Amino acid sequence: QVFPYTDRLNYVSPMINNVGYAMAVEKLLGITKDIPRRAEYVRVIVSEVSRITDHLTCVGASAMELGGFTPFLYFLKAREWLYVLLEEVSGARLTHSYVRVGGVSKDLPDGWLDKLLAKLDEIEAVMVEVETMLNNNKIFRDRMAGVGAFSKEDAISYGLTGPVGRACGIDYDVRKDFPYSVYPELEFDVPLGTTGDCYDRYLVRVEEIKKSIRI
């Protein structure tokens, strides 16, 4: 029951860590089929919101490290909107302990989903602004394209997963290949890269944000 430990495995997407740990315990207890369907949907919603906050942090910080401070501020502003919503759910601003073995600690607050949908619309608008600033920016592309590239074969041999592996063209996403919770009922594509470099990793994460918004 000590969920706060999981919040700190990756503090920019703690909800996903909550869910992963809960699922492991539920599997050990043999109660995976006893989770309320509403709780499963709520878990997916907060997980995908967490995935967005994680990618916003990564992409924004990447741009800042290359001299693009404006996209960093734009994406942190967008991340803050989601942090406020996750705080309403969990009571914590950063290390969110909301999931429990068997479900979640409580239902979503009244009106929360409407506020989330409104903020996701605003985030989509911010993404257009940031992509306009970065995608064809010569300095950004020169410092990302062709840098840190992995071949598909090397990525597999090194055990690279997630956006890093998918940027190398590895069509693998646990939500699709080993579907769990209610993911089989949801429509979304898995973005893939071709070059396996920093620029493709950027593009994959941006597309994953869009897929999470769709979910």
Side-chain angles (χ1 to χ4, degrees):
Q1 293 290 344
V2 190
F3 268 86
Y5 281 120
T6 68
D7 312 341
R8 288 147 177 82
L9 297 173
N10 180 2
Y11 69 89
V12 286
S13 53
M15 290 288 196
I16 298 178
N17 302 322
N18 281 189
V19 172
Y21 179 69
M23 288 174 58
V25 175
E26 289 156 4
K27 187 175 182 181
L28 289 170
L29 295 175
I31 60 171
T32 54
K33 295 182 179 179
D34 300 328
I35 314 304
R37 279 183 60 77
R38 182 174 178 83
E40 293 280 22
Y41 278 104
V42 170
R43 284 181 175 187
V44 166
I45 290 169
V46 296
S47 291
E48 293 303 324
V49 170
S50 276
R51 192 186 311 277
I52 294 170
T53 62
D54 198 317
H55 285 352
L56 289 173
T57 306
C58 182
V59 172
S62 297
M64 181 184 66
E65 295 288 351
L66 301 181
F69 197 56
T70 301
F72 176 68
L73 295 177
Y74 277 38
F75 269 5
L76 252 63
K77 172 184 67 176
R79 187 185 74 172
E80 185 63 26
W81 296 334
L82 298 180
Y83 273 179
V84 169
L85 290 173
L86 292 176
E87 183 176 0
E88 287 184 19
V89 168
S90 68
R93 171 179 152 70
L94 190 64
T95 46
H96 312 117
S97 287
Y98 174 58
V99 180
R100 297 291 185 271
V101 174
V104 294
S105 64
K106 54 186 178 296
D107 202 354
L108 297 172
D110 290 341
W112 190 87
L113 288 172
D114 290 334
K115 287 191 283 187
L116 173 61
L117 291 173
K119 287 303 177 186
L120 291 178
D121 286 341
E122 292 186 51
I123 289 172
E124 285 186 311
V126 171
M127 290 184 66
V128 171
E129 293 177 309
V130 170
E131 286 186 273
T132 301
M133 283 188 274
L134 292 181
N135 283 14
N136 293 308
N137 181 293
K138 178 170 172 50
I139 296 173
F140 184 74
R141 292 198 66 151
D142 285 351
R143 293 177 177 179
M144 295 283 273
V147 175
F150 292 99
S151 68
K152 187 175 182 179
E153 294 71 27
D154 282 346
I156 292 172
S157 68
Y158 295 151
L160 302 180
T161 60
V164 178
R166 289 190 282 274
C168 300
I170 301 172
D171 189 359
Y172 178 79
D173 188 316
V174 175
R175 295 170 297 172
K176 288 281 192 182
D177 293 282
F178 294 92
Y180 58 93
S181 190
V182 293
Y183 278 109
E185 304 171 29
L186 305 174
E187 292 182 11
F188 64 98
D189 301 319
V190 177
L192 299 176
T194 56
T195 63
D197 60 6
C198 287
Y199 189 69
D200 260 14
R201 291 193 278 275
Y202 155 74
L203 292 175
V204 165
R205 284 188 171 91
V206 167
E207 288 303 312
E208 287 194 6
I209 292 173
K210 297 174 184 177
K211 303 308 179 187
S212 290
I213 290 174
R214 174 177 170 79
I215 290 172

PDB file of all heavy atoms in Angstrom, residues 82-116:
ATOM      1  N   LEU A  82      -1.914  21.015 -16.751  1.00  0.00           N
ATOM      2  CA  LEU A  82      -2.226  19.622 -16.418  1.00  0.00           C
ATOM      3  C   LEU A  82      -1.859  19.303 -14.974  1.00  0.00           C
ATOM      4  O   LEU A  82      -2.547  18.527 -14.312  1.00  0.00           O
ATOM      5  CB  LEU A  82      -1.501  18.679 -17.382  1.00  0.00           C
ATOM      6  CG  LEU A  82      -1.897  18.827 -18.853  1.00  0.00           C
ATOM      7  CD1 LEU A  82      -1.118  17.838 -19.715  1.00  0.00           C
ATOM      8  CD2 LEU A  82      -3.397  18.616 -19.041  1.00  0.00           C
ATOM      9  N   TYR A  83      -0.772  19.900 -14.480  1.00  0.00           N
ATOM     10  CA  TYR A  83      -0.415  19.692 -13.074  1.00  0.00           C
ATOM     11  C   TYR A  83      -1.531  20.168 -12.146  1.00  0.00           C
ATOM     12  O   TYR A  83      -1.813  19.540 -11.119  1.00  0.00           O
ATOM     13  CB  TYR A  83       0.886  20.439 -12.744  1.00  0.00           C
ATOM     14  CG  TYR A  83       2.149  19.668 -13.026  1.00  0.00           C
ATOM     15  CD1 TYR A  83       3.393  20.241 -12.783  1.00  0.00           C
ATOM     16  CD2 TYR A  83       2.122  18.378 -13.531  1.00  0.00           C
ATOM     17  CE1 TYR A  83       4.568  19.550 -13.032  1.00  0.00           C
ATOM     18  CE2 TYR A  83       3.288  17.672 -13.783  1.00  0.00           C
ATOM     19  CZ  TYR A  83       4.513  18.262 -13.531  1.00  0.00           C
ATOM     20  OH  TYR A  83       5.671  17.575 -13.772  1.00  0.00           O
ATOM     21  N   VAL A  84      -2.144  21.283 -12.485  1.00  0.00           N
ATOM     22  CA  VAL A  84      -3.247  21.805 -11.662  1.00  0.00           C
ATOM     23  C   VAL A  84      -4.382  20.789 -11.611  1.00  0.00           C
ATOM     24  O   VAL A  84      -4.967  20.527 -10.543  1.00  0.00           O
ATOM     25  CB  VAL A  84      -3.751  23.162 -12.217  1.00  0.00           C
ATOM     26  CG1 VAL A  84      -5.062  23.566 -11.545  1.00  0.00           C
ATOM     27  CG2 VAL A  84      -2.696  24.239 -12.024  1.00  0.00           C
ATOM     28  N   LEU A  85      -4.684  20.182 -12.764  1.00  0.00           N
ATOM     29  CA  LEU A  85      -5.763  19.189 -12.815  1.00  0.00           C
ATOM     30  C   LEU A  85      -5.397  17.928 -12.048  1.00  0.00           C
ATOM     31  O   LEU A  85      -6.232  17.356 -11.335  1.00  0.00           O
ATOM     32  CB  LEU A  85      -6.086  18.860 -14.274  1.00  0.00           C
ATOM     33  CG  LEU A  85      -6.764  19.975 -15.069  1.00  0.00           C
ATOM     34  CD1 LEU A  85      -6.875  19.595 -16.540  1.00  0.00           C
ATOM     35  CD2 LEU A  85      -8.147  20.266 -14.504  1.00  0.00           C
ATOM     36  N   LEU A  86      -4.145  17.476 -12.184  1.00  0.00           N
ATOM     37  CA  LEU A  86      -3.731  16.274 -11.460  1.00  0.00           C
ATOM     38  C   LEU A  86      -3.688  16.527  -9.953  1.00  0.00           C
ATOM     39  O   LEU A  86      -3.919  15.613  -9.157  1.00  0.00           O
ATOM     40  CB  LEU A  86      -2.361  15.800 -11.968  1.00  0.00           C
ATOM     41  CG  LEU A  86      -2.352  15.268 -13.402  1.00  0.00           C
ATOM     42  CD1 LEU A  86      -0.925  14.916 -13.833  1.00  0.00           C
ATOM     43  CD2 LEU A  86      -3.258  14.044 -13.546  1.00  0.00           C
ATOM     44  N   GLU A  87      -3.404  17.774  -9.575  1.00  0.00           N
ATOM     45  CA  GLU A  87      -3.434  18.117  -8.152  1.00  0.00           C
ATOM     46  C   GLU A  87      -4.863  18.055  -7.616  1.00  0.00           C
ATOM     47  O   GLU A  87      -5.101  17.619  -6.487  1.00  0.00           O
ATOM     48  CB  GLU A  87      -2.853  19.512  -7.924  1.00  0.00           C
ATOM     49  CG  GLU A  87      -2.783  19.907  -6.456  1.00  0.00           C
ATOM     50  CD  GLU A  87      -2.122  21.260  -6.242  1.00  0.00           C
ATOM     51  OE1 GLU A  87      -1.716  21.901  -7.228  1.00  0.00           O
ATOM     52  OE2 GLU A  87      -2.026  21.675  -5.076  1.00  0.00           O
ATOM     53  N   GLU A  88      -5.829  18.458  -8.437  1.00  0.00           N
ATOM     54  CA  GLU A  88      -7.219  18.370  -8.018  1.00  0.00           C
ATOM     55  C   GLU A  88      -7.630  16.921  -7.759  1.00  0.00           C
ATOM     56  O   GLU A  88      -8.428  16.630  -6.867  1.00  0.00           O
ATOM     57  CB  GLU A  88      -8.139  18.975  -9.094  1.00  0.00           C
ATOM     58  CG  GLU A  88      -8.092  20.488  -9.190  1.00  0.00           C
ATOM     59  CD  GLU A  88      -9.083  21.024 -10.203  1.00  0.00           C
ATOM     60  OE1 GLU A  88     -10.033  20.283 -10.548  1.00  0.00           O
ATOM     61  OE2 GLU A  88      -8.914  22.173 -10.651  1.00  0.00           O
ATOM     62  N   VAL A  89      -7.071  16.013  -8.548  1.00  0.00           N
ATOM     63  CA  VAL A  89      -7.406  14.596  -8.419  1.00  0.00           C
ATOM     64  C   VAL A  89      -6.717  13.967  -7.214  1.00  0.00           C
ATOM     65  O   VAL A  89      -7.330  13.231  -6.428  1.00  0.00           O
ATOM     66  CB  VAL A  89      -7.010  13.831  -9.708  1.00  0.00           C
ATOM     67  CG1 VAL A  89      -7.069  12.331  -9.476  1.00  0.00           C
ATOM     68  CG2 VAL A  89      -7.929  14.216 -10.851  1.00  0.00           C
ATOM     69  N   SER A  90      -5.421  14.246  -7.060  1.00  0.00           N
ATOM     70  CA  SER A  90      -4.610  13.503  -6.097  1.00  0.00           C
ATOM     71  C   SER A  90      -4.320  14.251  -4.803  1.00  0.00           C
ATOM     72  O   SER A  90      -3.980  13.633  -3.786  1.00  0.00           O
ATOM     73  CB  SER A  90      -3.271  13.125  -6.740  1.00  0.00           C
ATOM     74  OG  SER A  90      -2.484  14.285  -6.979  1.00  0.00           O
ATOM     75  N   GLY A  91      -4.398  15.588  -4.836  1.00  0.00           N
ATOM     76  CA  GLY A  91      -4.060  16.374  -3.666  1.00  0.00           C
ATOM     77  C   GLY A  91      -2.595  16.788  -3.619  1.00  0.00           C
ATOM     78  O   GLY A  91      -2.193  17.540  -2.733  1.00  0.00           O
ATOM     79  N   ALA A  92      -1.797  16.305  -4.561  1.00  0.00           N
ATOM     80  CA  ALA A  92      -0.367  16.643  -4.599  1.00  0.00           C
ATOM     81  C   ALA A  92      -0.046  17.327  -5.911  1.00  0.00           C
ATOM     82  O   ALA A  92      -0.586  16.970  -6.955  1.00  0.00           O
ATOM     83  CB  ALA A  92       0.492  15.393  -4.442  1.00  0.00           C
ATOM     84  N   ARG A  93       0.852  18.284  -5.864  1.00  0.00           N
ATOM     85  CA  ARG A  93       1.196  19.017  -7.079  1.00  0.00           C
ATOM     86  C   ARG A  93       2.093  18.209  -8.012  1.00  0.00           C
ATOM     87  O   ARG A  93       1.944  18.253  -9.232  1.00  0.00           O
ATOM     88  CB  ARG A  93       1.916  20.321  -6.717  1.00  0.00           C
ATOM     89  CG  ARG A  93       2.495  21.025  -7.927  1.00  0.00           C
ATOM     90  CD  ARG A  93       3.199  22.315  -7.617  1.00  0.00           C
ATOM     91  NE  ARG A  93       4.226  22.592  -8.587  1.00  0.00           N
ATOM     92  CZ  ARG A  93       4.015  22.923  -9.850  1.00  0.00           C
ATOM     93  NH1 ARG A  93       2.787  23.014 -10.302  1.00  0.00           N
ATOM     94  NH2 ARG A  93       5.017  23.159 -10.675  1.00  0.00           N
ATOM     95  N   LEU A  94       3.025  17.458  -7.470  1.00  0.00           N
ATOM     96  CA  LEU A  94       4.031  16.811  -8.312  1.00  0.00           C
ATOM     97  C   LEU A  94       4.024  15.291  -8.167  1.00  0.00           C
ATOM     98  O   LEU A  94       3.890  14.574  -9.153  1.00  0.00           O
ATOM     99  CB  LEU A  94       5.425  17.358  -7.972  1.00  0.00           C
ATOM    100  CG  LEU A  94       6.549  16.962  -8.927  1.00  0.00           C
ATOM    101  CD1 LEU A  94       6.292  17.540 -10.319  1.00  0.00           C
ATOM    102  CD2 LEU A  94       7.891  17.473  -8.398  1.00  0.00           C
ATOM    103  N   THR A  95       4.200  14.789  -6.960  1.00  0.00           N
ATOM    104  CA  THR A  95       4.253  13.342  -6.754  1.00  0.00           C
ATOM    105  C   THR A  95       2.845  12.843  -6.441  1.00  0.00           C
ATOM    106  O   THR A  95       2.431  12.803  -5.284  1.00  0.00           O
ATOM    107  CB  THR A  95       5.238  12.995  -5.621  1.00  0.00           C
ATOM    108  OG1 THR A  95       4.996  13.876  -4.516  1.00  0.00           O
ATOM    109  CG2 THR A  95       6.669  13.174  -6.086  1.00  0.00           C
ATOM    110  N   HIS A  96       2.139  12.445  -7.489  1.00  0.00           N
ATOM    111  CA  HIS A  96       0.722  12.107  -7.367  1.00  0.00           C
ATOM    112  C   HIS A  96       0.537  10.651  -6.950  1.00  0.00           C
ATOM    113  O   HIS A  96       0.946   9.748  -7.666  1.00  0.00           O
ATOM    114  CB  HIS A  96       0.009  12.323  -8.706  1.00  0.00           C
ATOM    115  CG  HIS A  96       0.305  13.638  -9.344  1.00  0.00           C
ATOM    116  ND1 HIS A  96       0.931  13.753 -10.563  1.00  0.00           N
ATOM    117  CD2 HIS A  96       0.068  14.908  -8.926  1.00  0.00           C
ATOM    118  CE1 HIS A  96       1.063  15.033 -10.873  1.00  0.00           C
ATOM    119  NE2 HIS A  96       0.554  15.753  -9.901  1.00  0.00           N
ATOM    120  N   SER A  97      -0.079  10.430  -5.804  1.00  0.00           N
ATOM    121  CA  SER A  97      -0.466   9.082  -5.371  1.00  0.00           C
ATOM    122  C   SER A  97      -1.988   9.003  -5.421  1.00  0.00           C
ATOM    123  O   SER A  97      -2.661   9.426  -4.487  1.00  0.00           O
ATOM    124  CB  SER A  97       0.037   8.803  -3.956  1.00  0.00           C
ATOM    125  OG  SER A  97       1.433   8.600  -3.955  1.00  0.00           O
ATOM    126  N   TYR A  98      -2.504   8.471  -6.497  1.00  0.00           N
ATOM    127  CA  TYR A  98      -3.949   8.460  -6.720  1.00  0.00           C
ATOM    128  C   TYR A  98      -4.466   7.046  -6.935  1.00  0.00           C
ATOM    129  O   TYR A  98      -5.563   6.705  -6.510  1.00  0.00           O
ATOM    130  CB  TYR A  98      -4.258   9.354  -7.923  1.00  0.00           C
ATOM    131  CG  TYR A  98      -5.695   9.337  -8.390  1.00  0.00           C
ATOM    132  CD1 TYR A  98      -6.730   9.698  -7.517  1.00  0.00           C
ATOM    133  CD2 TYR A  98      -6.025   8.985  -9.689  1.00  0.00           C
ATOM    134  CE1 TYR A  98      -8.051   9.697  -7.943  1.00  0.00           C
ATOM    135  CE2 TYR A  98      -7.342   8.977 -10.122  1.00  0.00           C
ATOM    136  CZ  TYR A  98      -8.348   9.331  -9.247  1.00  0.00           C
ATOM    137  OH  TYR A  98      -9.652   9.328  -9.661  1.00  0.00           O
ATOM    138  N   VAL A  99      -3.665   6.212  -7.598  1.00  0.00           N
ATOM    139  CA  VAL A  99      -4.081   4.845  -7.892  1.00  0.00           C
ATOM    140  C   VAL A  99      -3.930   4.000  -6.628  1.00  0.00           C
ATOM    141  O   VAL A  99      -3.069   4.259  -5.787  1.00  0.00           O
ATOM    142  CB  VAL A  99      -3.241   4.271  -9.047  1.00  0.00           C
ATOM    143  CG1 VAL A  99      -3.655   2.835  -9.370  1.00  0.00           C
ATOM    144  CG2 VAL A  99      -3.388   5.153 -10.288  1.00  0.00           C
ATOM    145  N   ARG A 100      -4.798   2.974  -6.500  1.00  0.00           N
ATOM    146  CA  ARG A 100      -4.721   2.035  -5.388  1.00  0.00           C
ATOM    147  C   ARG A 100      -4.866   0.610  -5.923  1.00  0.00           C
ATOM    148  O   ARG A 100      -5.395   0.411  -7.027  1.00  0.00           O
ATOM    149  CB  ARG A 100      -5.846   2.288  -4.368  1.00  0.00           C
ATOM    150  CG  ARG A 100      -5.799   3.646  -3.694  1.00  0.00           C
ATOM    151  CD  ARG A 100      -4.617   3.788  -2.750  1.00  0.00           C
ATOM    152  NE  ARG A 100      -4.663   5.057  -2.032  1.00  0.00           N
ATOM    153  CZ  ARG A 100      -4.124   6.185  -2.470  1.00  0.00           C
ATOM    154  NH1 ARG A 100      -3.508   6.219  -3.644  1.00  0.00           N
ATOM    155  NH2 ARG A 100      -4.193   7.295  -1.737  1.00  0.00           N
ATOM    156  N   VAL A 101      -4.421  -0.356  -5.149  1.00  0.00           N
ATOM    157  CA  VAL A 101      -4.655  -1.744  -5.514  1.00  0.00           C
ATOM    158  C   VAL A 101      -6.165  -1.963  -5.557  1.00  0.00           C
ATOM    159  O   VAL A 101      -6.864  -1.714  -4.570  1.00  0.00           O
ATOM    160  CB  VAL A 101      -4.002  -2.705  -4.497  1.00  0.00           C
ATOM    161  CG1 VAL A 101      -4.377  -4.152  -4.813  1.00  0.00           C
ATOM    162  CG2 VAL A 101      -2.492  -2.536  -4.500  1.00  0.00           C
ATOM    163  N   GLY A 102      -6.664  -2.363  -6.716  1.00  0.00           N
ATOM    164  CA  GLY A 102      -8.104  -2.569  -6.879  1.00  0.00           C
ATOM    165  C   GLY A 102      -8.827  -1.426  -7.554  1.00  0.00           C
ATOM    166  O   GLY A 102     -10.009  -1.540  -7.875  1.00  0.00           O
ATOM    167  N   GLY A 103      -8.146  -0.313  -7.806  1.00  0.00           N
ATOM    168  CA  GLY A 103      -8.818   0.804  -8.476  1.00  0.00           C
ATOM    169  C   GLY A 103      -8.078   2.105  -8.293  1.00  0.00           C
ATOM    170  O   GLY A 103      -6.874   2.192  -8.530  1.00  0.00           O
ATOM    171  N   VAL A 104      -8.801   3.125  -7.875  1.00  0.00           N
ATOM    172  CA  VAL A 104      -8.212   4.430  -7.572  1.00  0.00           C
ATOM    173  C   VAL A 104      -8.748   4.884  -6.212  1.00  0.00           C
ATOM    174  O   VAL A 104      -9.725   4.337  -5.698  1.00  0.00           O
ATOM    175  CB  VAL A 104      -8.539   5.489  -8.656  1.00  0.00           C
ATOM    176  CG1 VAL A 104      -7.870   5.132  -9.973  1.00  0.00           C
ATOM    177  CG2 VAL A 104     -10.048   5.618  -8.859  1.00  0.00           C
ATOM    178  N   SER A 105      -8.109   5.901  -5.634  1.00  0.00           N
ATOM    179  CA  SER A 105      -8.468   6.297  -4.268  1.00  0.00           C
ATOM    180  C   SER A 105      -9.854   6.912  -4.176  1.00  0.00           C
ATOM    181  O   SER A 105     -10.543   6.777  -3.166  1.00  0.00           O
ATOM    182  CB  SER A 105      -7.425   7.271  -3.710  1.00  0.00           C
ATOM    183  OG  SER A 105      -7.417   8.479  -4.455  1.00  0.00           O
ATOM    184  N   LYS A 106     -10.271   7.594  -5.247  1.00  0.00           N
ATOM    185  CA  LYS A 106     -11.604   8.221  -5.259  1.00  0.00           C
ATOM    186  C   LYS A 106     -11.937   8.570  -6.701  1.00  0.00           C
ATOM    187  O   LYS A 106     -11.061   8.571  -7.573  1.00  0.00           O
ATOM    188  CB  LYS A 106     -11.634   9.477  -4.392  1.00  0.00           C
ATOM    189  CG  LYS A 106     -10.576  10.516  -4.729  1.00  0.00           C
ATOM    190  CD  LYS A 106     -10.591  11.664  -3.730  1.00  0.00           C
ATOM    191  CE  LYS A 106      -9.501  12.687  -4.012  1.00  0.00           C
ATOM    192  NZ  LYS A 106      -8.143  12.145  -3.857  1.00  0.00           N
ATOM    193  N   ASP A 107     -13.191   8.892  -6.948  1.00  0.00           N
ATOM    194  CA  ASP A 107     -13.618   9.230  -8.308  1.00  0.00           C
ATOM    195  C   ASP A 107     -13.076  10.603  -8.696  1.00  0.00           C
ATOM    196  O   ASP A 107     -12.628  11.388  -7.846  1.00  0.00           O
ATOM    197  CB  ASP A 107     -15.149   9.218  -8.394  1.00  0.00           C
ATOM    198  CG  ASP A 107     -15.648   9.021  -9.820  1.00  0.00           C
ATOM    199  OD1 ASP A 107     -14.820   9.014 -10.751  1.00  0.00           O
ATOM    200  OD2 ASP A 107     -16.870   8.880  -9.997  1.00  0.00           O
ATOM    201  N   LEU A 108     -13.138  10.894  -9.980  1.00  0.00           N
ATOM    202  CA  LEU A 108     -12.721  12.204 -10.468  1.00  0.00           C
ATOM    203  C   LEU A 108     -13.667  13.277  -9.923  1.00  0.00           C
ATOM    204  O   LEU A 108     -14.868  13.043  -9.797  1.00  0.00           O
ATOM    205  CB  LEU A 108     -12.750  12.235 -12.000  1.00  0.00           C
ATOM    206  CG  LEU A 108     -11.791  11.263 -12.710  1.00  0.00           C
ATOM    207  CD1 LEU A 108     -12.073  11.255 -14.205  1.00  0.00           C
ATOM    208  CD2 LEU A 108     -10.347  11.630 -12.445  1.00  0.00           C
ATOM    209  N   PRO A 109     -13.140  14.459  -9.616  1.00  0.00           N
ATOM    210  CA  PRO A 109     -14.003  15.535  -9.109  1.00  0.00           C
ATOM    211  C   PRO A 109     -15.056  15.943 -10.145  1.00  0.00           C
ATOM    212  O   PRO A 109     -14.846  15.801 -11.352  1.00  0.00           O
ATOM    213  CB  PRO A 109     -13.019  16.684  -8.854  1.00  0.00           C
ATOM    214  CG  PRO A 109     -11.670  16.046  -8.762  1.00  0.00           C
ATOM    215  CD  PRO A 109     -11.717  14.852  -9.649  1.00  0.00           C
ATOM    216  N   ASP A 110     -16.167  16.456  -9.668  1.00  0.00           N
ATOM    217  CA  ASP A 110     -17.229  16.935 -10.562  1.00  0.00           C
ATOM    218  C   ASP A 110     -16.679  18.023 -11.485  1.00  0.00           C
ATOM    219  O   ASP A 110     -15.996  18.946 -11.042  1.00  0.00           O
ATOM    220  CB  ASP A 110     -18.397  17.507  -9.754  1.00  0.00           C
ATOM    221  CG  ASP A 110     -19.169  16.425  -9.009  1.00  0.00           C
ATOM    222  OD1 ASP A 110     -19.041  15.246  -9.384  1.00  0.00           O
ATOM    223  OD2 ASP A 110     -19.892  16.762  -8.047  1.00  0.00           O
ATOM    224  N   GLY A 111     -16.971  17.900 -12.771  1.00  0.00           N
ATOM    225  CA  GLY A 111     -16.546  18.899 -13.749  1.00  0.00           C
ATOM    226  C   GLY A 111     -15.112  18.764 -14.201  1.00  0.00           C
ATOM    227  O   GLY A 111     -14.648  19.532 -15.061  1.00  0.00           O
ATOM    228  N   TRP A 112     -14.392  17.783 -13.663  1.00  0.00           N
ATOM    229  CA  TRP A 112     -12.962  17.646 -13.962  1.00  0.00           C
ATOM    230  C   TRP A 112     -12.714  17.300 -15.432  1.00  0.00           C
ATOM    231  O   TRP A 112     -11.827  17.866 -16.067  1.00  0.00           O
ATOM    232  CB  TRP A 112     -12.352  16.573 -13.060  1.00  0.00           C
ATOM    233  CG  TRP A 112     -10.864  16.498 -13.103  1.00  0.00           C
ATOM    234  CD1 TRP A 112      -9.983  17.210 -12.350  1.00  0.00           C
ATOM    235  CD2 TRP A 112     -10.053  15.650 -13.932  1.00  0.00           C
ATOM    236  NE1 TRP A 112      -8.680  16.862 -12.655  1.00  0.00           N
ATOM    237  CE2 TRP A 112      -8.701  15.906 -13.623  1.00  0.00           C
ATOM    238  CE3 TRP A 112     -10.345  14.701 -14.908  1.00  0.00           C
ATOM    239  CZ2 TRP A 112      -7.647  15.244 -14.247  1.00  0.00           C
ATOM    240  CZ3 TRP A 112      -9.303  14.034 -15.540  1.00  0.00           C
ATOM    241  CH2 TRP A 112      -7.971  14.313 -15.206  1.00  0.00           C
ATOM    242  N   LEU A 113     -13.509  16.390 -15.969  1.00  0.00           N
ATOM    243  CA  LEU A 113     -13.302  15.968 -17.364  1.00  0.00           C
ATOM    244  C   LEU A 113     -13.538  17.122 -18.331  1.00  0.00           C
ATOM    245  O   LEU A 113     -12.820  17.253 -19.329  1.00  0.00           O
ATOM    246  CB  LEU A 113     -14.219  14.794 -17.703  1.00  0.00           C
ATOM    247  CG  LEU A 113     -13.837  13.456 -17.061  1.00  0.00           C
ATOM    248  CD1 LEU A 113     -14.925  12.420 -17.301  1.00  0.00           C
ATOM    249  CD2 LEU A 113     -12.503  12.963 -17.599  1.00  0.00           C
ATOM    250  N   ASP A 114     -14.528  17.951 -18.054  1.00  0.00           N
ATOM    251  CA  ASP A 114     -14.775  19.110 -18.918  1.00  0.00           C
ATOM    252  C   ASP A 114     -13.585  20.066 -18.897  1.00  0.00           C
ATOM    253  O   ASP A 114     -13.184  20.612 -19.936  1.00  0.00           O
ATOM    254  CB  ASP A 114     -16.043  19.849 -18.463  1.00  0.00           C
ATOM    255  CG  ASP A 114     -17.311  19.047 -18.748  1.00  0.00           C
ATOM    256  OD1 ASP A 114     -17.289  18.229 -19.688  1.00  0.00           O
ATOM    257  OD2 ASP A 114     -18.303  19.242 -18.024  1.00  0.00           O
ATOM    258  N   LYS A 115     -13.026  20.265 -17.706  1.00  0.00           N
ATOM    259  CA  LYS A 115     -11.845  21.141 -17.607  1.00  0.00           C
ATOM    260  C   LYS A 115     -10.655  20.531 -18.344  1.00  0.00           C
ATOM    261  O   LYS A 115      -9.881  21.252 -18.988  1.00  0.00           O
ATOM    262  CB  LYS A 115     -11.507  21.390 -16.136  1.00  0.00           C
ATOM    263  CG  LYS A 115     -12.476  22.309 -15.427  1.00  0.00           C
ATOM    264  CD  LYS A 115     -11.974  22.749 -14.057  1.00  0.00           C
ATOM    265  CE  LYS A 115     -12.136  21.673 -13.031  1.00  0.00           C
ATOM    266  NZ  LYS A 115     -11.814  22.149 -11.657  1.00  0.00           N
ATOM    267  N   LEU A 116     -10.515  19.217 -18.257  1.00  0.00           N
ATOM    268  CA  LEU A 116      -9.417  18.547 -18.967  1.00  0.00           C
ATOM    269  C   LEU A 116      -9.558  18.727 -20.473  1.00  0.00           C
ATOM    270  O   LEU A 116      -8.583  19.075 -21.160  1.00  0.00           O
ATOM    271  CB  LEU A 116      -9.400  17.061 -18.615  1.00  0.00           C
ATOM    272  CG  LEU A 116      -8.407  16.196 -19.412  1.00  0.00           C
ATOM    273  CD1 LEU A 116      -6.966  16.651 -19.180  1.00  0.00           C
ATOM    274  CD2 LEU A 116      -8.572  14.723 -19.065  1.00  0.00           C
TER     275      LEU A 116
END
